[in-house]
Amino acid sequence: MNSMLSFLIGFASIAFMITIHETGHFIAARMSNIDVEVFAIGWGKAIKKWHRNGTEFRINFFILGGYCKLKGGEDIIAAIEEHEESFSKHNGSLFSAHPLKRIITYAGGPVINLLLAFLLFIPFFMLDYQASSDPPTILLTSDYSEVYPNPTMSAKEAGLLSGDTILSINGQKVAYFSQISEYINNQYKDSPLLVIAERDGVNITTNLTPEFDEVGNRYIIGVTAALPAIISNVSPLTPEHIAGLESKDTIINVNGKDVTYSLDVVRELIRNPKHVIMNILDSNGNQKEVSFYPEKDSNGNLKSNIMYSSSISLFSGESIFKAIGSSFLETINSVKEIYYLFGQLIRGKFSFTDSLAGPIRISYIIGQMSMTGIRSFLQLLAMISISLGIANLLPLPGLDGGSVVLSLIELIRNKSFSPKTYLRVQTVGVFILALLMLFVLFSDARFLFS
């Protein structure tokens, strides 16, 4: 029942965002004096339709998606059949409009998707939220090469040590570990960062130069949170669970090695994955010993079924004026992030199968996120709306971006393309989109049956 509800919520959300997208084309066309013959919500047979100001409005049977039919869309075929070298210039027709007006019309859909994301981000920033509030005490990833095979050395080269507590970065006070990455990426501008940290009650000052992580598209310094080796949860029906590990247990020794942090436990498990003996201090202060054989995945790698305690606090949302500013910046940063990820995908940094999702998978994800709270739901909808807008602006035939490029070329050369050229471009676009649709449907089917 929950899965079905997730799909329904997801499909309704996608239908809404696509309708908003087509509304953008509709508004831009009207502003450009291009007639809209049909504005439809959904596909298939019309359930209800009515006419207003020369446009037929339709609500169709299959509500996922929709379309905005502009006057003159069929002029390509008509011109070719009549052996014309150019389009007939009918008033209100798409191809009678100036190229700049066509660019505005094509871009109207993606632009309104970005506007929708901006509006969704405002309540996202205004709502109270729970987030990690772990202290800014660090462990160097370079000290845990078994866990991090290729660690970033920035923090170590700056003289920081595992167990240090970062107090400030470029003058900004650091209260939580999660702020370290945020401040580094906001503050770093090609000049070393001034970092103040505490070590054994003494403040130390150092200059630190982050490294850029291409996969994560962010600057990193090679640190992780120094979480204590206190268990918050153990997956049921696992060797650890059967052995007797429980919530609030503190792990003090693994295979004869004393441990302080959760990462110490992980390191010792990797070093000796066959048989594990742990000394535990339970919540009542009693010591016990547990012994188990860890699980491994299909590749023979150790599976961790233990979750460790992390501090979570309730944070207040922003005022509406501050939220508007945060929403504007978040929308811009999200656009940059998605363009970067598209570039990484094209360069083969990510798997197409894992990265591209169709309506089934997206619907399920949206539905699942709607169950986790309104704030997460709003953020996901905003990100998908931005992705929809950016994807449509890609300069590919058949997409809004491809049409914008053609119109821009016409504007520069001050000469229209022939109907045959438009037909060839559209044919290539349909072929590319058909292949892409088959790919995402195959990916969705594999996801659905998995």
Side-chain angles (χ1 to χ4, degrees):
M1 182 64 182
N2 285 340
S3 294
M4 181 58 69
L5 182 60
S6 293
F7 276 117
L8 290 176
I9 293 173
F11 272 113
S13 300
I14 293 176
F16 171 71
M17 283 186 283
I18 295 177
T19 300
I20 289 293
H21 178 89
E22 297 302 328
T23 300
H25 288 309
F26 176 84
I27 294 172
R30 284 288 181 86
M31 290 173 57
S32 303
N33 295 319
I34 296 173
D35 294 338
V36 181
E37 295 181 340
V38 180
F39 181 85
I41 298 174
W43 297 85
K45 187 177 181 181
I47 300 173
K48 183 177 178 60
K49 57 184 177 180
W50 65 97
H51 290 80
R52 185 175 180 181
N53 296 329
T55 301
E56 179 183 282
F57 294 89
R58 300 166 58 102
I59 299 177
N60 294 328
F61 180 76
F62 187 58
I63 65 166
L64 183 62
Y67 58 93
C68 182
K69 183 182 177 184
L70 305 177
K71 182 179 179 180
E74 296 87 359
D75 286 355
I76 297 174
I77 303 299
I80 292 174
E81 289 178 346
E82 296 176 16
H83 304 287
E84 296 179 2
E85 294 299 321
S86 61
F87 295 102
S88 300
K89 302 298 182 181
H90 303 297
N91 289 333
S93 173
L94 177 64
F95 292 105
S96 69
H98 189 275
L100 185 58
K101 291 185 176 181
R102 272 184 271 146
I103 291 173
I104 293 172
T105 302
Y106 293 135
V111 167
I112 205 169
N113 279 127
L114 300 183
L115 177 60
L116 172 63
F118 167 75
L119 295 175
L120 290 171
F121 275 134
I122 294 175
F124 167 79
F125 283 107
M126 292 179 66
L127 290 170
D128 295 345
Y129 63 98
Q130 287 186 325
S132 171
S133 57
D134 293 315
T137 303
I138 63 170
L139 297 178
L140 303 188
T141 55
S142 56
D143 290 344
Y144 295 85
S145 57
E146 297 90 344
V147 185
Y148 300 95
N150 299 298
T152 299
M153 305 298 289
S154 296
K156 184 174 183 177
E157 291 171 352
L160 296 176
L161 300 176
S162 291
D164 289 350
T165 299
I166 294 182
L167 302 178
S168 68
I169 298 174
N170 268 16
Q172 280 194 287
K173 183 180 178 180
V174 178
Y176 308 107
F177 179 83
S178 58
Q179 293 175 320
I180 295 175
S181 177
E182 176 188 344
Y183 291 171
I184 285 170
N185 282 277
N186 288 341
Q187 294 286 330
Y188 183 59
K189 307 295 181 186
D190 297 327
S191 298
L193 299 170
L194 179 65
V195 176
I196 299 177
E198 181 185 4
R199 180 185 302 159
D200 299 326
V202 179
N203 287 0
I204 59 172
T205 301
T206 184
N207 292 316
L208 185 151
T209 302
E211 293 181 18
F212 186 72
D213 175 27
E214 286 195 358
V215 176
N217 188 29
R218 62 193 176 107
Y219 287 100
I220 57 177
I221 60 173
V223 300
T224 187
L227 299 179
I230 301 174
I231 297 172
S232 65
N233 187 38
V234 180
S235 299
L237 302 180
T238 64
E240 295 93 328
H241 185 269
I242 296 170
L245 291 179
E246 298 176 354
S247 175
K248 298 182 181 179
D249 282 351
T250 301
I251 304 172
I252 57 177
N253 187 285
V254 180
N255 293 333
K257 298 286 187 179
D258 292 340
V259 296
T260 303
Y261 304 109
S262 59
L263 212 55
D264 296 332
V265 178
V266 176
R267 178 170 60 186
E268 294 305 322
L269 291 176
I270 293 174
R271 285 175 174 176
N272 188 7
K274 294 181 179 180
H275 182 222
V276 177
I277 299 175
M278 288 184 176
N279 289 318
I280 305 297
L281 192 67
D282 67 20
S283 57
N284 296 318
N286 301 316
Q287 286 198 32
K288 62 181 179 180
E289 182 180 283
V290 299
S291 174
F292 59 90
Y293 296 90
E295 287 185 323
K296 296 182 179 179
D297 60 22
S298 58
N299 296 319
N301 297 318
L302 184 72
K303 291 175 64 176
S304 178
N305 299 307
I306 304 172
M307 296 183 66
Y308 298 94
S309 295
S310 178
S311 299
I312 301 293
S313 299
L314 180 66
F315 294 87
S316 298
E318 299 175 350
S319 68
I320 184 169
F321 297 108
K322 189 174 181 181
I324 290 173
S326 297
S327 176
F328 180 75
L329 292 176
E330 186 69 16
T331 303
I332 292 175
N333 290 333
S334 297
V335 169
K336 293 179 180 177
E337 177 77 11
I338 290 172
Y339 266 120
Y340 177 82
L341 291 175
F342 270 122
Q344 293 289 84
L345 184 63
I346 292 171
R347 288 196 293 270
K349 298 292 185 180
F350 304 114
S351 165
F352 271 86
T353 304
D354 295 333
S355 303
L356 295 181
I360 295 175
R361 198 192 313 191
I362 294 174
S363 297
Y364 181 78
I365 293 171
I366 292 174
Q368 288 293 303
M369 289 298 289
S370 70
M371 307 296 180
T372 65
I374 184 64
R375 197 169 185 270
S376 300
F377 184 55
L378 289 171
Q379 183 184 35
L380 181 62
L381 286 184
M383 292 303 297
I384 291 177
S385 187
I386 291 173
S387 299
L388 180 62
I390 296 302
N392 271 279
L393 276 179
L394 292 175
L396 298 175
L399 297 178
D400 294 329
S403 298
V404 167
V405 170
L406 285 178
S407 299
L408 188 60
I409 294 173
E410 288 185 346
L411 183 65
I412 294 172
R413 69 201 289 256
N414 197 27
K415 181 180 179 182
S416 298
F417 289 109
S418 69
K420 288 183 179 180
T421 300
Y422 266 102
L423 182 61
R424 292 189 188 104
V425 171
Q426 287 192 356
T427 302
V428 171
V430 169
F431 179 72
I432 292 174
L433 293 179
L435 287 179
L436 183 61
M437 183 57 66
L438 286 173
F439 181 83
V440 297
L441 288 176
F442 170 77
S443 179
D444 276 11
R446 194 177 69 166
F447 166 79
L448 185 64
F449 289 108
S450 67

PDB file of all heavy atoms in Angstrom, residues 350-374:
ATOM      1  N   PHE A 350      30.279   8.891 -14.302  1.00  0.00           N
ATOM      2  CA  PHE A 350      29.201   8.159 -13.663  1.00  0.00           C
ATOM      3  C   PHE A 350      28.580   7.197 -14.666  1.00  0.00           C
ATOM      4  O   PHE A 350      28.647   7.399 -15.882  1.00  0.00           O
ATOM      5  CB  PHE A 350      28.104   9.101 -13.140  1.00  0.00           C
ATOM      6  CG  PHE A 350      28.600  10.148 -12.194  1.00  0.00           C
ATOM      7  CD1 PHE A 350      28.556  11.486 -12.549  1.00  0.00           C
ATOM      8  CD2 PHE A 350      29.113   9.803 -10.964  1.00  0.00           C
ATOM      9  CE1 PHE A 350      29.010  12.464 -11.686  1.00  0.00           C
ATOM     10  CE2 PHE A 350      29.566  10.765 -10.094  1.00  0.00           C
ATOM     11  CZ  PHE A 350      29.517  12.105 -10.450  1.00  0.00           C
ATOM     12  N   SER A 351      27.938   6.159 -14.164  1.00  0.00           N
ATOM     13  CA  SER A 351      27.231   5.206 -15.005  1.00  0.00           C
ATOM     14  C   SER A 351      25.907   5.802 -15.471  1.00  0.00           C
ATOM     15  O   SER A 351      25.152   6.353 -14.661  1.00  0.00           O
ATOM     16  CB  SER A 351      26.964   3.911 -14.216  1.00  0.00           C
ATOM     17  OG  SER A 351      26.008   3.117 -14.871  1.00  0.00           O
ATOM     18  N   PHE A 352      25.626   5.703 -16.780  1.00  0.00           N
ATOM     19  CA  PHE A 352      24.356   6.198 -17.304  1.00  0.00           C
ATOM     20  C   PHE A 352      23.183   5.462 -16.665  1.00  0.00           C
ATOM     21  O   PHE A 352      22.157   6.044 -16.342  1.00  0.00           O
ATOM     22  CB  PHE A 352      24.307   6.032 -18.827  1.00  0.00           C
ATOM     23  CG  PHE A 352      24.860   7.197 -19.579  1.00  0.00           C
ATOM     24  CD1 PHE A 352      26.216   7.300 -19.846  1.00  0.00           C
ATOM     25  CD2 PHE A 352      24.034   8.217 -20.004  1.00  0.00           C
ATOM     26  CE1 PHE A 352      26.735   8.380 -20.533  1.00  0.00           C
ATOM     27  CE2 PHE A 352      24.531   9.311 -20.704  1.00  0.00           C
ATOM     28  CZ  PHE A 352      25.889   9.393 -20.962  1.00  0.00           C
ATOM     29  N   THR A 353      23.341   4.157 -16.467  1.00  0.00           N
ATOM     30  CA  THR A 353      22.259   3.349 -15.907  1.00  0.00           C
ATOM     31  C   THR A 353      21.898   3.807 -14.505  1.00  0.00           C
ATOM     32  O   THR A 353      20.723   3.870 -14.139  1.00  0.00           O
ATOM     33  CB  THR A 353      22.665   1.860 -15.878  1.00  0.00           C
ATOM     34  OG1 THR A 353      23.023   1.456 -17.196  1.00  0.00           O
ATOM     35  CG2 THR A 353      21.517   1.000 -15.387  1.00  0.00           C
ATOM     36  N   ASP A 354      22.918   4.153 -13.711  1.00  0.00           N
ATOM     37  CA  ASP A 354      22.668   4.564 -12.336  1.00  0.00           C
ATOM     38  C   ASP A 354      22.244   6.021 -12.241  1.00  0.00           C
ATOM     39  O   ASP A 354      21.579   6.414 -11.277  1.00  0.00           O
ATOM     40  CB  ASP A 354      23.923   4.346 -11.485  1.00  0.00           C
ATOM     41  CG  ASP A 354      24.293   2.876 -11.363  1.00  0.00           C
ATOM     42  OD1 ASP A 354      23.374   2.029 -11.472  1.00  0.00           O
ATOM     43  OD2 ASP A 354      25.489   2.581 -11.186  1.00  0.00           O
ATOM     44  N   SER A 355      22.637   6.843 -13.228  1.00  0.00           N
ATOM     45  CA  SER A 355      22.429   8.284 -13.116  1.00  0.00           C
ATOM     46  C   SER A 355      21.130   8.757 -13.751  1.00  0.00           C
ATOM     47  O   SER A 355      20.543   9.736 -13.289  1.00  0.00           O
ATOM     48  CB  SER A 355      23.606   9.028 -13.765  1.00  0.00           C
ATOM     49  OG  SER A 355      24.829   8.646 -13.188  1.00  0.00           O
ATOM     50  N   LEU A 356      20.683   8.104 -14.833  1.00  0.00           N
ATOM     51  CA  LEU A 356      19.474   8.543 -15.526  1.00  0.00           C
ATOM     52  C   LEU A 356      18.272   7.741 -15.039  1.00  0.00           C
ATOM     53  O   LEU A 356      18.300   6.518 -15.028  1.00  0.00           O
ATOM     54  CB  LEU A 356      19.638   8.379 -17.036  1.00  0.00           C
ATOM     55  CG  LEU A 356      20.715   9.248 -17.690  1.00  0.00           C
ATOM     56  CD1 LEU A 356      20.740   9.001 -19.193  1.00  0.00           C
ATOM     57  CD2 LEU A 356      20.479  10.718 -17.406  1.00  0.00           C
ATOM     58  N   ALA A 357      17.245   8.453 -14.621  1.00  0.00           N
ATOM     59  CA  ALA A 357      16.028   7.806 -14.132  1.00  0.00           C
ATOM     60  C   ALA A 357      14.840   8.285 -14.936  1.00  0.00           C
ATOM     61  O   ALA A 357      14.781   9.438 -15.365  1.00  0.00           O
ATOM     62  CB  ALA A 357      15.828   8.114 -12.650  1.00  0.00           C
ATOM     63  N   GLY A 358      13.896   7.394 -15.159  1.00  0.00           N
ATOM     64  CA  GLY A 358      12.667   7.723 -15.872  1.00  0.00           C
ATOM     65  C   GLY A 358      11.529   8.006 -14.908  1.00  0.00           C
ATOM     66  O   GLY A 358      11.729   8.098 -13.687  1.00  0.00           O
ATOM     67  N   PRO A 359      10.319   8.139 -15.422  1.00  0.00           N
ATOM     68  CA  PRO A 359       9.179   8.524 -14.579  1.00  0.00           C
ATOM     69  C   PRO A 359       8.871   7.540 -13.457  1.00  0.00           C
ATOM     70  O   PRO A 359       8.420   7.945 -12.390  1.00  0.00           O
ATOM     71  CB  PRO A 359       8.013   8.610 -15.580  1.00  0.00           C
ATOM     72  CG  PRO A 359       8.462   7.837 -16.782  1.00  0.00           C
ATOM     73  CD  PRO A 359       9.935   7.984 -16.832  1.00  0.00           C
ATOM     74  N   ILE A 360       9.123   6.240 -13.691  1.00  0.00           N
ATOM     75  CA  ILE A 360       8.796   5.252 -12.649  1.00  0.00           C
ATOM     76  C   ILE A 360       9.708   5.428 -11.446  1.00  0.00           C
ATOM     77  O   ILE A 360       9.248   5.550 -10.302  1.00  0.00           O
ATOM     78  CB  ILE A 360       8.910   3.820 -13.212  1.00  0.00           C
ATOM     79  CG1 ILE A 360       7.857   3.598 -14.298  1.00  0.00           C
ATOM     80  CG2 ILE A 360       8.736   2.788 -12.095  1.00  0.00           C
ATOM     81  CD1 ILE A 360       7.977   2.255 -14.995  1.00  0.00           C
ATOM     82  N   ARG A 361      11.014   5.456 -11.694  1.00  0.00           N
ATOM     83  CA  ARG A 361      11.958   5.572 -10.582  1.00  0.00           C
ATOM     84  C   ARG A 361      11.827   6.937  -9.890  1.00  0.00           C
ATOM     85  O   ARG A 361      11.847   7.023  -8.657  1.00  0.00           O
ATOM     86  CB  ARG A 361      13.384   5.372 -11.064  1.00  0.00           C
ATOM     87  CG  ARG A 361      14.334   5.053  -9.906  1.00  0.00           C
ATOM     88  CD  ARG A 361      15.797   5.123 -10.282  1.00  0.00           C
ATOM     89  NE  ARG A 361      16.140   4.444 -11.519  1.00  0.00           N
ATOM     90  CZ  ARG A 361      17.399   4.227 -11.901  1.00  0.00           C
ATOM     91  NH1 ARG A 361      18.386   4.598 -11.107  1.00  0.00           N
ATOM     92  NH2 ARG A 361      17.668   3.642 -13.037  1.00  0.00           N
ATOM     93  N   ILE A 362      11.706   8.002 -10.681  1.00  0.00           N
ATOM     94  CA  ILE A 362      11.575   9.336 -10.088  1.00  0.00           C
ATOM     95  C   ILE A 362      10.309   9.423  -9.247  1.00  0.00           C
ATOM     96  O   ILE A 362      10.316   9.975  -8.143  1.00  0.00           O
ATOM     97  CB  ILE A 362      11.578  10.418 -11.182  1.00  0.00           C
ATOM     98  CG1 ILE A 362      12.939  10.461 -11.881  1.00  0.00           C
ATOM     99  CG2 ILE A 362      11.258  11.785 -10.598  1.00  0.00           C
ATOM    100  CD1 ILE A 362      12.991  11.398 -13.060  1.00  0.00           C
ATOM    101  N   SER A 363       9.214   8.858  -9.761  1.00  0.00           N
ATOM    102  CA  SER A 363       7.952   8.885  -9.015  1.00  0.00           C
ATOM    103  C   SER A 363       8.093   8.174  -7.681  1.00  0.00           C
ATOM    104  O   SER A 363       7.615   8.647  -6.639  1.00  0.00           O
ATOM    105  CB  SER A 363       6.838   8.229  -9.844  1.00  0.00           C
ATOM    106  OG  SER A 363       6.599   8.949 -11.021  1.00  0.00           O
ATOM    107  N   TYR A 364       8.758   7.030  -7.709  1.00  0.00           N
ATOM    108  CA  TYR A 364       8.926   6.265  -6.475  1.00  0.00           C
ATOM    109  C   TYR A 364       9.782   7.040  -5.471  1.00  0.00           C
ATOM    110  O   TYR A 364       9.448   7.110  -4.276  1.00  0.00           O
ATOM    111  CB  TYR A 364       9.566   4.914  -6.777  1.00  0.00           C
ATOM    112  CG  TYR A 364       9.754   4.049  -5.545  1.00  0.00           C
ATOM    113  CD1 TYR A 364       8.673   3.361  -4.991  1.00  0.00           C
ATOM    114  CD2 TYR A 364      10.993   3.948  -4.930  1.00  0.00           C
ATOM    115  CE1 TYR A 364       8.830   2.584  -3.860  1.00  0.00           C
ATOM    116  CE2 TYR A 364      11.161   3.170  -3.800  1.00  0.00           C
ATOM    117  CZ  TYR A 364      10.080   2.486  -3.269  1.00  0.00           C
ATOM    118  OH  TYR A 364      10.250   1.731  -2.143  1.00  0.00           O
ATOM    119  N   ILE A 365      10.867   7.645  -5.949  1.00  0.00           N
ATOM    120  CA  ILE A 365      11.757   8.394  -5.060  1.00  0.00           C
ATOM    121  C   ILE A 365      11.030   9.587  -4.457  1.00  0.00           C
ATOM    122  O   ILE A 365      11.122   9.851  -3.254  1.00  0.00           O
ATOM    123  CB  ILE A 365      13.017   8.842  -5.818  1.00  0.00           C
ATOM    124  CG1 ILE A 365      13.860   7.624  -6.207  1.00  0.00           C
ATOM    125  CG2 ILE A 365      13.852   9.797  -4.955  1.00  0.00           C
ATOM    126  CD1 ILE A 365      15.014   7.955  -7.132  1.00  0.00           C
ATOM    127  N   ILE A 366      10.273  10.320  -5.290  1.00  0.00           N
ATOM    128  CA  ILE A 366       9.515  11.468  -4.784  1.00  0.00           C
ATOM    129  C   ILE A 366       8.516  11.006  -3.731  1.00  0.00           C
ATOM    130  O   ILE A 366       8.381  11.614  -2.659  1.00  0.00           O
ATOM    131  CB  ILE A 366       8.770  12.186  -5.928  1.00  0.00           C
ATOM    132  CG1 ILE A 366       9.764  12.859  -6.876  1.00  0.00           C
ATOM    133  CG2 ILE A 366       7.809  13.240  -5.369  1.00  0.00           C
ATOM    134  CD1 ILE A 366       9.111  13.460  -8.105  1.00  0.00           C
ATOM    135  N   GLY A 367       7.803   9.930  -4.029  1.00  0.00           N
ATOM    136  CA  GLY A 367       6.820   9.409  -3.083  1.00  0.00           C
ATOM    137  C   GLY A 367       7.446   8.998  -1.767  1.00  0.00           C
ATOM    138  O   GLY A 367       6.911   9.279  -0.689  1.00  0.00           O
ATOM    139  N   GLN A 368       8.603   8.321  -1.835  1.00  0.00           N
ATOM    140  CA  GLN A 368       9.288   7.901  -0.616  1.00  0.00           C
ATOM    141  C   GLN A 368       9.747   9.116   0.193  1.00  0.00           C
ATOM    142  O   GLN A 368       9.631   9.127   1.425  1.00  0.00           O
ATOM    143  CB  GLN A 368      10.497   7.021  -0.966  1.00  0.00           C
ATOM    144  CG  GLN A 368      10.129   5.628  -1.466  1.00  0.00           C
ATOM    145  CD  GLN A 368       9.488   4.784  -0.375  1.00  0.00           C
ATOM    146  OE1 GLN A 368      10.066   4.567   0.682  1.00  0.00           O
ATOM    147  NE2 GLN A 368       8.289   4.322  -0.640  1.00  0.00           N
ATOM    148  N   MET A 369      10.258  10.143  -0.478  1.00  0.00           N
ATOM    149  CA  MET A 369      10.716  11.332   0.225  1.00  0.00           C
ATOM    150  C   MET A 369       9.556  12.092   0.860  1.00  0.00           C
ATOM    151  O   MET A 369       9.725  12.745   1.889  1.00  0.00           O
ATOM    152  CB  MET A 369      11.486  12.250  -0.723  1.00  0.00           C
ATOM    153  CG  MET A 369      12.851  11.701  -1.125  1.00  0.00           C
ATOM    154  SD  MET A 369      13.969  11.476   0.275  1.00  0.00           S
ATOM    155  CE  MET A 369      14.322  13.180   0.691  1.00  0.00           C
ATOM    156  N   SER A 370       8.381  11.998   0.259  1.00  0.00           N
ATOM    157  CA  SER A 370       7.218  12.677   0.833  1.00  0.00           C
ATOM    158  C   SER A 370       6.853  12.101   2.192  1.00  0.00           C
ATOM    159  O   SER A 370       6.222  12.768   3.015  1.00  0.00           O
ATOM    160  CB  SER A 370       6.013  12.573  -0.117  1.00  0.00           C
ATOM    161  OG  SER A 370       5.520  11.241  -0.169  1.00  0.00           O
ATOM    162  N   MET A 371       7.271  10.849   2.437  1.00  0.00           N
ATOM    163  CA  MET A 371       6.980  10.197   3.714  1.00  0.00           C
ATOM    164  C   MET A 371       7.968  10.623   4.810  1.00  0.00           C
ATOM    165  O   MET A 371       7.746  10.364   5.992  1.00  0.00           O
ATOM    166  CB  MET A 371       7.039   8.666   3.566  1.00  0.00           C
ATOM    167  CG  MET A 371       6.176   8.111   2.447  1.00  0.00           C
ATOM    168  SD  MET A 371       4.418   8.392   2.730  1.00  0.00           S
ATOM    169  CE  MET A 371       3.730   7.620   1.250  1.00  0.00           C
ATOM    170  N   THR A 372       9.084  11.236   4.423  1.00  0.00           N
ATOM    171  CA  THR A 372      10.119  11.580   5.398  1.00  0.00           C
ATOM    172  C   THR A 372       9.946  12.984   5.960  1.00  0.00           C
ATOM    173  O   THR A 372      10.674  13.365   6.874  1.00  0.00           O
ATOM    174  CB  THR A 372      11.516  11.472   4.765  1.00  0.00           C
ATOM    175  OG1 THR A 372      11.647  12.455   3.733  1.00  0.00           O
ATOM    176  CG2 THR A 372      11.741  10.085   4.180  1.00  0.00           C
ATOM    177  N   GLY A 373       9.021  13.744   5.434  1.00  0.00           N
ATOM    178  CA  GLY A 373       8.806  15.100   5.940  1.00  0.00           C
ATOM    179  C   GLY A 373       8.691  16.104   4.816  1.00  0.00           C
ATOM    180  O   GLY A 373       9.253  15.924   3.737  1.00  0.00           O
ATOM    181  N   ILE A 374       7.975  17.181   5.095  1.00  0.00           N
ATOM    182  CA  ILE A 374       7.684  18.179   4.063  1.00  0.00           C
ATOM    183  C   ILE A 374       8.953  18.888   3.607  1.00  0.00           C
ATOM    184  O   ILE A 374       9.096  19.233   2.427  1.00  0.00           O
ATOM    185  CB  ILE A 374       6.655  19.220   4.595  1.00  0.00           C
ATOM    186  CG1 ILE A 374       6.271  20.218   3.504  1.00  0.00           C
ATOM    187  CG2 ILE A 374       7.184  19.928   5.824  1.00  0.00           C
ATOM    188  CD1 ILE A 374       5.563  19.596   2.326  1.00  0.00           C
TER     189      ILE A 374
END
